Amino acid sequence: MAIEWLLAYLALGACVGFFAGLLGVGGGGIMVPLLTTMFAAQGFPREHMVHLALGTSMAAIVLTSVSSLRAHHAHGAVRWDIVRGITPGVLLGTFAGTFIAAAAPTRPLAIFFGCFMAYVSLQMILNVKPKPSRDLPGPAGLGGVGAGIGLISALVAIGGGSLSVPFMTWCNVKMQNAIGTSAAIGLPIALAGAAGYLINGWGNDGLPEWSVGYVFVPALLLISAVSTFTAPLGARLAHRLPVAMLKKIFAAVLILLSAKMLHTVLAT
């Protein structure tokens, strides 16, 4: 692999970790469109570009999720009763979602990603927060919600925070606990998603060298190595910078990145 691509993956990891720490958002929104564009520039097969970007992003989110979970648990912000109730559904939904994504052609998958990122971006720009209006459902209800969150998370390679935090807030869970619990839920999503994309791509013809299933290992290692160091830097700066304004700017960047991804996929 050329040195410029190694540097590009390192730069992407630095960016992903920094914004994850600063704004509390998962890296999939950045990684998937940029990895798709980078894979296209490297001549990866068009029919596998988005699948590889999703699988590699999910695998890279694993380490970020562990770090985030530990930090929130240390502050007592994780509602482990919710985690226990929702995790079975999350695991099932995420794993099943990877099979749906693997069977979907590249273009519809990219369009779905772009539309979902537009929803997430609009949510951030408008600072939408649902009003608490009900209690948490029982075990069956939590499992069903978890399956839905996991399914969508697998299709767009996110940790689920854009879905689980509004849900928990709606169910009268304090915002601090909703964010901390969402970070804990992100780990089973990342693990099930990474495993699913690895299995679905295993033995697939036409994948680039150094791929394990739909996970491109060089990108995974370089992104994970750097994001681990830049995430704490972003977290420290979160207390000094105007985060509300930065979220709006970041949301606009997500829309532009998704538009670039769609252009890359639809133009090939």
Side-chain angles (χ1 to χ4, degrees), residues 40-232:
Q42 291 175 82
F44 287 9
R46 186 191 68 81
E47 65 270 21
H48 297 312
M49 287 189 307
V50 177
H51 300 93
L52 279 165
L54 289 167
T56 305
S57 296
M58 270 294 191
I61 291 170
V62 171
L63 286 179
T64 306
S65 298
V66 171
S67 176
S68 181
L69 185 161
R70 292 178 64 185
H72 285 289
H73 176 67
H75 288 90
V78 179
R79 284 276 304 270
W80 289 107
D81 58 321
I82 299 176
V83 175
R84 285 190 294 271
I86 207 169
T87 292
V90 159
L91 289 171
L92 180 62
T94 306
F95 193 67
T98 64
F99 285 81
I100 295 173
T106 292
R107 291 189 178 190
L109 199 56
I111 291 170
F112 180 82
F113 178 89
C115 291
F116 187 81
M117 283 301 117
Y119 155 75
V120 171
S121 301
L122 190 62
Q123 192 181 52
M124 292 174 69
I125 291 170
L126 299 178
N127 196 26
V128 176
K129 295 178 181 177
K131 294 180 180 179
S133 57
R134 55 161 297 162
D135 294 326
L136 285 164
L142 270 181
V145 169
I149 290 172
L151 178 65
I152 295 175
S153 297
L155 294 174
V156 292
I158 60 171
S162 57
L163 298 170
S164 57
V165 170
F167 165 71
M168 284 184 276
T169 304
W170 180 53
C171 293
N172 277 291
V173 176
K174 292 180 181 178
M175 179 57 73
Q176 182 185 15
N177 293 122
I179 293 171
T181 305
S182 175
I185 295 169
L187 180 58
I189 288 176
L191 289 170
Y197 279 111
L198 190 151
I199 291 169
N200 276 284
W202 194 270
N204 210 318
D205 292 333
L207 290 175
E209 191 179 7
W210 303 110
S211 295
V212 180
Y214 285 130
V215 177
F216 186 56
V217 176
L220 166 64
L221 295 178
L222 293 168
I223 290 169
S224 299
V226 181
S227 64
T228 304
F229 293 100
T230 56

